[in-house]
Amino acid sequence: MEAFEDDNPFENDVDRISSETSSTSKVDISAPASPPSQIARQLSPTFSHQSTPFPSSGTSKQPQAMDKSDFCCNRDRWLHSGDDVEIIITDTQKTTVNSTTPYITYVIHAGTAEARHRYSEFESLRSSLVKLYPTLIIPPIPSKQSISDYATKPAKAKEDAGMIARRKRMLQTFLNRIGRHPILSNEHVFHRFLDGEVSWTEVLHSPPLSLLPKNVLKAPSHNPIDQNASPAYEALPNPSATYPLRQPDQRFIDSETFTNKFLSHLSGPMEKVSRRSLKRWSESAQDYSDLGAALNGFSLNETGALASAIEKTGQAVDATYMSTTRLLQELEQNWAEPLHEYTQFASIIKKLLAYRHQKHVQYEMTQDSLDNKRDLLEEYEKSEREAKRLDEALARGRVNGLQPRPGGQEENEGPEEPASAYLPPHPGPNPYKKRAPGMGFLNALTYTLHGMMDVDPETARRNGIGKTRENISQLEDALHLAAQDLKYSNSTIQADLDRFQRQKVADLREMTISMARSHRDWCKKNLETWQAAKREIEKIPDHPNSLPATPSGKGVAGPSNTRRDSSATVNGR
């Protein structure tokens, strides 16, 4: 397998990021309502390692870049109190409140507040945060039950104890990641979720969630719920995530390449090997359990020191089973679950980069539409100038034709009007023309419709000029907004990618240390139990046909320095 190189493009310093490297640098735009530099400062706190186990806190505590003095509620004050606070899911309960079928609720403690939420409400919270903050990496929640789980256990799929315990741990990690995010921790929707004072349904149907747009691509990136947003956002196109760019940003191309590589490596060999390893540890633990029971039963058939030695060996095997079970649990909690979480993170980053790609495509498509409208306006104005020149020429011809000719002769007939000067009242067919049989009604309808239409080319041309100018004005506003959104998205997404990279390094460090610690404890525990078993085994007397004393006369060699003849009992020696 090719070596996996961590050539991570997310490690760029936020302070060195500038909009001049993107294609929007040529557009002179004003700063957005929420300056990206402020977001970047909040997303780039001082990094510090901690030695706490991985799953308890979700991620290492990162101090805020600036002190906060204005708090919206008690949960906000508690989260930003400066202490190493932690949100804990203390229990799971089965209930039927506001439902005809039972479901599992998770009891959340955040300081002195207590809230109860079901899995679907966690899912709703995350989807709401994704819409409120389309340029930030929203932490994942545990995956839903697969179809195979429902197929194998249709009645108990939602009540599986292992699945509930796993969700409890990962949902706690999800809440702590949000609570320690420099931006998301300030969101009042999250505070209300932790308080539990009002139902989540009421939160969903009240601002700001009730103000969310149907399409976030046609809303400001820095504030999708802005009710004073320009109407020009509606003129922005709705591009596909696969639409190619003319001038892509190399930074984000590298980010997409690295994310795809990171995702394929995690979801491919690492997760597969981890699952296979855990499965084999589980099978080994079960084998130790069966072997320990067999040895303990066999010791009842013997007496004396042999029975004690066999029993002690069985106890050592049982202790190995228990330590292996504990090792299996720790590996699942501290390695397999975080590994799966980072697989989800990679998918989330891909969607975030796709949003940024769509914003870039939106800018280029708006620019193309504006150029096309300007070309169309130029053609209209050129036609208008040609028409005016022709009218002036015709007017001069009429004046010259009405003047008396030299010699006193008058023109009996006026100047001949050009054929183009006469326009029929409508271009429809002659109503007096004989119609074909069976087509009278259609011809009459066509004649009426043509009569209702304005067929004056001069009026149509001038209307087209006015409408095109309006479209150009609207597209200019839309282009300004698209460039502004793209600049904000570039800065904010890059800053959050840098923050995520620091988080990833800290988490992977804790994961590897936790794995090493778990194996060390497993080895120490097994060493102690097997040393105790060895001491009991050494109490078994030697075989009567053991080797004689050594020639030096130092006595019969003990069991520690002689090799027992395995065939002595069989051959009767």
Side-chain angles (χ1 to χ4, degrees):
M1 182 183 298
E2 184 181 356
F4 180 73
E5 299 177 358
D6 193 14
D7 48 348
N8 190 357
F10 298 167
E11 294 179 338
N12 296 335
D13 189 2
V14 178
D15 296 333
R16 294 198 299 267
I17 298 172
S18 62
S19 60
E20 283 75 17
T21 58
S22 67
S23 60
T24 60
S25 59
K26 299 179 181 179
V27 182
D28 185 15
I29 61 176
S30 60
S34 299
S37 58
Q38 180 181 359
I39 300 294
R41 287 195 299 271
Q42 293 178 344
L43 291 174
S44 57
T46 305
F47 174 74
S48 63
H49 291 295
Q50 290 190 357
S51 59
T52 56
F54 172 80
S56 62
S57 60
T59 183
S60 56
K61 175 68 176 177
Q62 297 176 350
Q64 300 293 332
M66 57 188 70
D67 295 333
K68 184 175 180 180
S69 57
D70 52 334
F71 304 102
C72 62
C73 61
N74 291 332
R75 289 312 101 217
D76 190 19
R77 185 183 302 275
W78 177 75
L79 287 171
H80 299 89
S81 61
D83 301 329
D84 190 9
V85 298
E86 183 177 358
I87 304 169
I88 303 174
I89 298 181
T90 58
D91 194 13
T92 56
Q93 297 178 354
K94 186 176 180 180
T95 182
T96 57
V97 177
N98 299 326
S99 177
T100 56
T101 57
Y103 58 90
I104 302 297
T105 60
Y106 300 86
V107 183
I108 306 169
H109 282 270
T112 58
E114 179 180 298
R116 287 175 169 82
H117 293 286
R118 58 191 301 179
Y119 173 82
S120 60
E121 293 174 348
F122 282 90
E123 189 177 23
S124 176
L125 170 64
R126 188 188 179 279
S127 62
S128 300
L129 292 176
V130 169
K131 295 176 182 178
L132 285 172
Y133 300 93
T135 59
L136 296 181
I137 302 173
I138 309 300
I141 61 174
S143 304
K144 290 184 177 180
Q145 287 283 79
S146 62
I147 298 178
S148 60
D149 294 333
Y150 282 99
T152 55
K153 298 179 292 184
K156 299 294 183 180
K158 294 184 178 181
E159 301 177 11
D160 181 67
M163 182 271 295
I164 293 175
R166 182 167 57 255
R167 278 188 175 180
K168 176 183 173 182
R169 293 189 298 267
M170 298 188 72
L171 289 175
Q172 177 174 310
T173 301
F174 164 73
L175 294 177
N176 280 288
R177 287 197 187 279
I178 296 178
R180 288 165 181 166
H181 194 284
I183 305 299
L184 300 177
S185 60
N186 300 310
E187 178 54 52
H188 189 53
V189 172
F190 176 60
H191 304 156
R192 299 181 73 182
F193 187 86
L194 297 179
D195 268 333
E197 296 178 352
V198 296
S199 66
W200 182 245
T201 304
E202 182 179 345
V203 176
L204 290 176
H205 292 84
S206 60
L209 299 186
S210 61
L211 303 177
L212 285 171
K214 295 181 179 179
N215 189 352
V216 293
L217 290 175
K218 294 191 175 185
S221 296
H222 63 280
N223 187 11
I225 60 173
D226 186 7
Q227 298 301 297
N228 298 321
S230 173
Y233 274 106
E234 293 298 326
L236 292 175
N238 189 18
S240 169
T242 58
Y243 195 91
L245 287 169
R246 292 197 314 272
Q247 297 178 346
D249 194 326
Q250 188 61 40
R251 289 180 304 164
F252 293 99
I253 292 179
D254 296 339
S255 298
E256 291 176 4
T257 303
F258 177 82
T259 302
N260 292 330
K261 189 177 180 181
F262 181 68
L263 177 60
S264 63
H265 198 78
L266 287 184
S267 61
M270 289 192 67
E271 275 204 303
K272 290 180 180 178
V273 172
S274 296
R275 286 195 299 266
R276 187 166 65 245
S277 176
L278 292 178
K279 180 181 178 182
R280 291 177 177 174
W281 276 112
S282 178
E283 294 173 350
S284 177
Q286 186 61 42
D287 292 340
Y288 278 124
S289 175
D290 297 340
L291 179 59
L295 287 173
N296 291 329
F298 180 61
S299 66
L300 300 177
N301 298 329
E302 300 294 336
T303 58
L306 178 61
S308 300
I310 295 176
E311 182 181 6
K312 200 67 176 179
T313 303
Q315 292 175 359
V317 173
D318 288 338
T320 304
Y321 156 71
M322 296 176 62
S323 61
T324 304
T325 303
R326 189 179 302 109
L327 172 66
L328 184 64
Q329 294 174 351
E330 292 177 356
L331 290 179
E332 183 177 359
Q333 296 177 19
N334 301 342
W335 178 261
E337 290 176 6
L339 199 64
H340 178 68
E341 184 187 22
Y342 269 92
T343 303
Q344 293 177 294
F345 264 122
S347 300
I348 291 170
I349 292 175
K350 286 187 64 176
K351 294 180 181 179
L352 187 68
L353 294 175
Y355 169 82
R356 185 259 160 208
H357 177 89
Q358 287 176 291
K359 277 295 182 181
H360 198 162
V361 172
Q362 203 174 51
Y363 169 76
E364 290 189 348
M365 292 178 69
T366 306
Q367 197 171 37
D368 292 342
S369 298
L370 180 59
D371 293 340
N372 293 335
K373 289 296 182 181
R374 285 172 176 169
D375 293 341
L376 180 61
L377 178 62
E378 185 177 353
E379 293 179 2
Y380 274 137
E381 291 177 343
K382 183 178 179 181
S383 300
E384 181 70 13
R385 289 193 297 269
E386 291 292 334
K388 287 183 179 180
R389 187 179 62 81
L390 182 60
D391 290 342
E392 292 174 357
L394 291 175
R396 286 195 300 270
R398 292 192 188 96
V399 172
N400 294 334
L402 293 176
Q403 292 179 357
R405 294 184 178 182
Q409 297 181 355
E410 293 183 359
E411 186 70 26
N412 294 329
E413 298 180 357
E416 184 179 357
E417 294 288 339
S420 61
Y422 172 76
L423 293 175
H426 54 76
N430 189 351
Y432 301 104
K433 186 177 180 180
K434 185 177 180 180
R435 302 181 180 92
M439 297 296 292
F441 174 75
L442 292 178
N443 286 338
L445 181 62
T446 303
Y447 173 79
T448 304
L449 292 176
H450 279 290
M452 295 171 60
M453 295 173 59
D454 183 9
V455 295
D456 186 359
E458 182 178 357
T459 303
R461 183 174 59 250
R462 291 177 179 175
N463 290 340
I465 291 175
K467 186 176 181 180
T468 304
R469 285 176 176 170
E470 291 178 2
N471 291 338
I472 288 176
S473 177
Q474 189 179 30
L475 286 173
E476 286 176 345
D477 294 340
L479 181 65
H480 175 85
L481 296 174
Q484 185 174 338
D485 280 356
L486 180 59
K487 183 177 180 180
Y488 176 86
S489 299
N490 286 346
S491 300
T492 310
I493 290 176
Q494 185 64 59
D496 209 26
L497 288 176
D498 294 336
R499 180 202 60 81
F500 171 78
Q501 171 63 12
R502 292 188 295 271
Q503 168 194 300
K504 186 191 75 173
V505 171
D507 286 346
L508 289 177
R509 177 180 181 273
E510 295 299 333
M511 289 165 59
T512 51
I513 291 177
S514 178
M515 174 182 281
R517 186 184 298 114
S518 298
H519 280 87
R520 181 201 63 187
D521 295 342
W522 179 80
C523 293
K524 289 175 63 177
K525 182 65 176 177
N526 290 338
L527 180 62
E528 294 174 359
T529 55
W530 283 103
Q531 283 178 342
K534 178 184 177 183
R535 289 191 295 268
E536 193 67 28
I537 293 172
E538 289 177 346
K539 295 179 181 179
I540 300 176
D542 290 335
H543 194 275
N545 295 334
S546 59
L547 295 177
T550 59
S552 60
K554 293 183 179 180
V556 180
S560 60
N561 55 6
T562 60
R563 183 174 181 272
R564 187 183 299 274
D565 188 357
S566 61
S567 62
T569 304
V570 177
N571 298 330
R573 299 197 304 270

